[in-house]
Amino acid sequence: MSRYKECLIALLLLHAKAANIILLGDSYAELADDSLLDVCRRVDAFANRGVSGSTAAEWADGACEWAWGADRRRTLGGRRLDACSAEDAFADGVAYSRAWVSIGGNDALQSGCAPPDVTTLARALTEIKDAAPPGLRVLATGYGSVAATTEEGCGPPDIAAMNAAIREATVGLDFVDFVDVLGAFGGSATAFSSWNFYDDAIHLNDRGYERLFTLPAVQAFFECDGAVTAEPTTATPTETPT
């Protein structure tokens, strides 16, 4: 490629409109912190409004019943904001164009590993869309297969059923893109994920988030334009549940 073409491409990328990104939902979102910025070049504004322990039902209702949610309320212009309110999540006035929403996991964990209610999931996603700036697109990914059986007794088949419910909830919601990450970390509906990508049975570590945010479909959704490549998911053998 000629030097002229290289400079022209660089100039076009410089002036291309960058995404304004917000993360919403449960601990899968909150613990991601701002790691997306490490692997996504073109981001203008960024916010993480994830709340550990929050459920789809709470995001649908617009308020956290859980104590940590109440403790983590923010203020804006002297007004108290609820941590699980989509309306309050967008109260900063930024024209967010892309959102990653992680919901449904705690609903399942709190109900004996049963899949989250599809209607509640759809209602939560719709509440977020209705509160958002015009044109917001939402990414739902579900969850990676667990690295070990959870304290609640949930295993890979339960996570697969959870993701299937989330996928079903997005049907007919034209503002939502669904990318199933069940097998993104070396696991599947019948196999545990690799511990290389997990801090505990459920939650991703830094490598896990790098892997998640560098998936081609996720990169394309966030319009990242050429980020780093994460390590392969086959870094260590995975355990098959018995």
Side-chain angles (χ1 to χ4, degrees):
M1 182 183 295
S2 70
R3 180 62 178 169
Y4 170 77
K5 286 185 178 180
E6 290 178 351
C7 291
L8 179 59
I9 291 172
L11 184 62
L12 290 172
L13 290 176
L14 180 64
H15 291 283
K17 186 176 181 180
N20 294 331
I21 297 173
I22 187 169
L23 309 187
L24 302 169
D26 53 28
S27 57
Y28 232 57
E30 182 180 6
L31 296 178
D33 197 21
D34 62 356
S35 58
L36 174 61
L37 301 180
D38 295 333
V39 294
C40 195
R41 294 177 181 176
R42 295 176 56 240
V43 179
D44 190 1
F46 177 85
N48 188 328
R49 303 277 189 260
V51 182
S52 293
S54 63
T55 65
E58 289 173 331
W59 282 95
D61 293 338
C64 288
E65 296 296 331
W66 190 52
W68 280 18
D71 290 343
R72 295 183 183 191
R73 288 178 176 175
R74 301 173 296 116
T75 59
L76 183 67
R79 184 167 69 89
R80 197 174 183 184
L81 306 178
D82 192 284
C84 296
S85 165
E87 180 179 352
D88 287 349
F90 294 108
D92 56 11
V94 174
Y96 294 104
S97 57
R98 296 287 188 274
W100 177 43
V101 178
S102 174
I103 52 173
N106 288 311
D107 303 74
L109 293 176
Q110 293 173 16
S111 59
C113 305
D117 180 68
V118 171
T119 301
T120 301
L121 289 166
R123 187 162 63 91
L125 291 168
T126 301
E127 285 292 322
I128 290 168
K129 174 63 168 63
D130 290 346
L136 179 84
R137 292 206 59 80
V138 170
L139 175 67
T141 61
Y143 303 83
S145 183
V146 289
T149 302
T150 70
E151 294 178 357
E152 298 80 6
C154 306
D158 302 302
I159 308 303
M162 184 191 310
N163 285 10
I166 296 169
R167 179 194 293 273
E168 184 179 349
T170 67
V171 174
L173 301 181
D174 60 5
F175 58 90
V176 181
D177 293 350
F178 181 80
V179 175
D180 194 340
V181 300
L182 179 73
F185 312 103
S188 69
T190 57
F192 293 115
S193 290
S194 168
W195 277 106
N196 275 13
F197 302 106
Y198 282 75
D199 268 338
D200 56 34
I202 299 171
H203 299 102
L204 299 174
N205 60 20
D206 290 344
R207 289 179 177 178
Y209 282 114
E210 180 181 322
R211 173 65 186 167
L212 172 64
F213 291 136
T214 53
L215 292 173
V218 174
Q219 286 274 298
F221 176 83
F222 287 122
E223 302 175 322
C224 289
D225 184 53
V228 301
T229 300
E231 64 182 272
T233 58
T234 54
T236 59
T238 58
E239 177 185 356
T240 301
T242 57

